[in-house]
């Protein structure tokens, strides 16, 4: 089976190269894996990374120019927004499985092998990973990661930072990702779960804590969970996006 990695970007020139280097290190990993049922599978029946697609939403910092200079990357121009960019990248993909990865998330070789094992039984429709933060300080980031992983384990749910993966035919059948300004990832996971089994892999992605650090770890976590609660109550994503923007601006004004 072939894996297409889709990375939506907007001004990610500084973060993207490390993410791509980690993906390049996963190319060619084809050794046998053991499925959840304990059956050994050969390389022919498991996932191989076949292409890396960058869906650019109009970067102005040289991201697109850098991608064009990389012979092993595919650049797709897209309307700005995670939903449209995910859909644009998926439309260009040829793999059997899609992995949506953020530009500041690192897929290690152990995480890639965990992904291979998850698909060895060919029963999952999609899934995601646990996370850990790249930064060791502040220590409060570890608490945030614990909360994200606990929620993922208990609810079999995920957000975009966790590297959502899905069979391409399932992604197409559920209508792709919604064109929402916020929580498009939550809705995508809901759609995948309706289609079939959603797995959460305990081998983590390494994610950047830059946004938590910039705006305050606990303040950012509280804002995110408040927005999620409002989303569950039925507040439209566009209104939530406005609240999110207003809260960020208020935080800057207080600095």
């Amino acid at each position: 089976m072939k894996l297409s990695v889709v990375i939506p970007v907007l001004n990610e020139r500084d973060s993207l190269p490390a993410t791509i280097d980690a993906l390049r290190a996963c190319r060619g990993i084809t050794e046998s894996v053991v499925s959840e049922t304990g059956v050994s599978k050969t390389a022919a029946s498991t996932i191989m990374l076949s292409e890396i697609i960058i869906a650019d939403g109009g970067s102005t910092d040289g991201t697109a120019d850098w991608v064009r200079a990389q012979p092993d990357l595919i650049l797709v121009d897209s309307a700005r927004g995670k939903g449209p960019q995910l859909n644009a990248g998926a439309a260009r993909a040829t793999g059997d499985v899609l992995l949506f990865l953020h530009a500041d998330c690192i897929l290690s070789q152990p995480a890639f092998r965990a992904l291979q094992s998850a698909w060895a039984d060919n029963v999952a429709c999609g899934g995601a990973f646990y996370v850990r933060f790249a930064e060791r300080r502040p220590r409060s980031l570890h608490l945030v990661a614990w909360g994200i992983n606990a929620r993922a384990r208990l609810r079999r749910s995920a957000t975009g930072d966790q590297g959502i993966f899905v069979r391409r035919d399932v992604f197409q059948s559920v209508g792709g990702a919604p064109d929402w300004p916020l929580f498009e990832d939550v809705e995508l996971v809901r759609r995948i779960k309706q289609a079939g089994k959603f797995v959460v892999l305990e081998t983590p992605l390494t994610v950047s804590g830059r946004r938590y650090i910039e705006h305050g770890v606990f303040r950012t976590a509280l804002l995110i969970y408040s927005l999620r609660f409002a989303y569950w109550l039925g507040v439209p994503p566009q209104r939530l996006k406005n609240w999110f923007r207003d809260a960020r601006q208020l935080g800057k004004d207080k600095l």
Side-chain angles (χ1 to χ4, degrees):
M1 298 178 71
K2 296 192 301 181
L3 174 70
S4 297
V5 178
V6 176
I7 306 177
V9 300
L10 181 64
N11 296 329
E12 294 286 0
R13 176 64 181 84
D14 292 338
S15 299
L16 189 58
T19 299
I20 298 303
D21 285 344
L23 289 170
R24 286 168 173 158
C26 294
R27 288 189 184 273
I29 298 179
T30 59
E31 63 261 32
S32 297
V33 297
V34 177
S35 70
E36 292 181 353
T37 59
V39 178
S40 178
K41 301 286 184 174
T42 64
S45 61
T46 192
I47 286 177
M48 295 177 60
L49 200 164
S50 65
E51 59 189 3
I52 303 171
I53 301 169
I54 311 300
D56 185 71
S59 296
T60 58
D61 68 340
T63 297
D65 291 337
W66 182 84
V67 173
R68 290 188 188 96
Q70 311 304 308
D72 58 338
L73 303 184
I74 300 170
L75 177 65
V76 175
D77 292 323
S78 169
R80 181 177 300 188
K82 286 285 177 61
Q85 288 175 245
L86 296 182
N87 291 332
R92 176 62 177 80
T94 61
D96 305 288
V97 179
L98 306 173
L99 169 60
F100 298 112
L101 199 65
H102 285 183
D104 56 1
C105 294
I106 301 298
L107 179 73
S108 66
Q109 293 186 40
F112 181 73
R113 291 190 179 96
L115 177 60
Q116 289 180 315
S117 296
W119 287 98
D121 287 324
N122 202 31
V123 295
C125 283
F129 297 85
Y130 273 18
V131 299
R132 65 183 174 198
F133 286 103
E135 297 84 358
R136 299 179 64 87
R137 295 287 189 277
R139 291 186 177 181
S140 50
L141 285 173
H142 298 291
L143 181 61
V144 173
W146 181 89
I148 293 171
N149 295 335
R151 184 199 68 228
R153 180 176 64 254
L154 294 174
R155 296 178 55 85
R156 291 289 156 184
S157 63
T159 56
D161 283 337
Q162 293 175 248
I164 298 168
F165 51 87
V166 59
R167 298 179 66 98
R168 185 159 63 96
D169 59 346
V170 171
F171 183 80
Q172 294 170 338
S173 70
V174 302
D179 185 8
W180 292 357
L182 208 63
F183 292 122
E184 77 294 326
D185 48 358
V186 175
E187 172 62 14
L188 175 58
V189 169
R190 187 192 69 82
R191 295 178 184 184
I192 296 171
K193 290 171 68 174
Q194 284 189 328
K197 183 178 180 181
F198 188 87
V199 299
V200 178
L201 306 183
E202 295 186 7
T203 306
L205 292 181
T206 299
V207 304
S208 171
R210 56 181 174 166
R211 291 182 177 86
Y212 285 92
I213 294 170
E214 178 183 356
H215 299 284
V217 174
F218 289 117
R219 182 177 181 277
T220 301
L222 178 61
L223 174 60
I224 290 172
Y225 279 103
S226 298
L227 291 171
R228 285 181 69 92
F229 182 68
Y231 172 73
W232 289 332
L233 291 178
V235 178
Q238 182 58 59
R239 183 179 298 176
L240 292 176
K241 180 66 174 181
N242 292 336
W243 291 355
F244 181 73
R245 185 183 301 111
D246 291 345
R248 283 284 176 86
Q249 184 59 49
L250 179 62
K252 291 180 179 179
D253 291 344
K254 288 183 177 180
L255 294 178

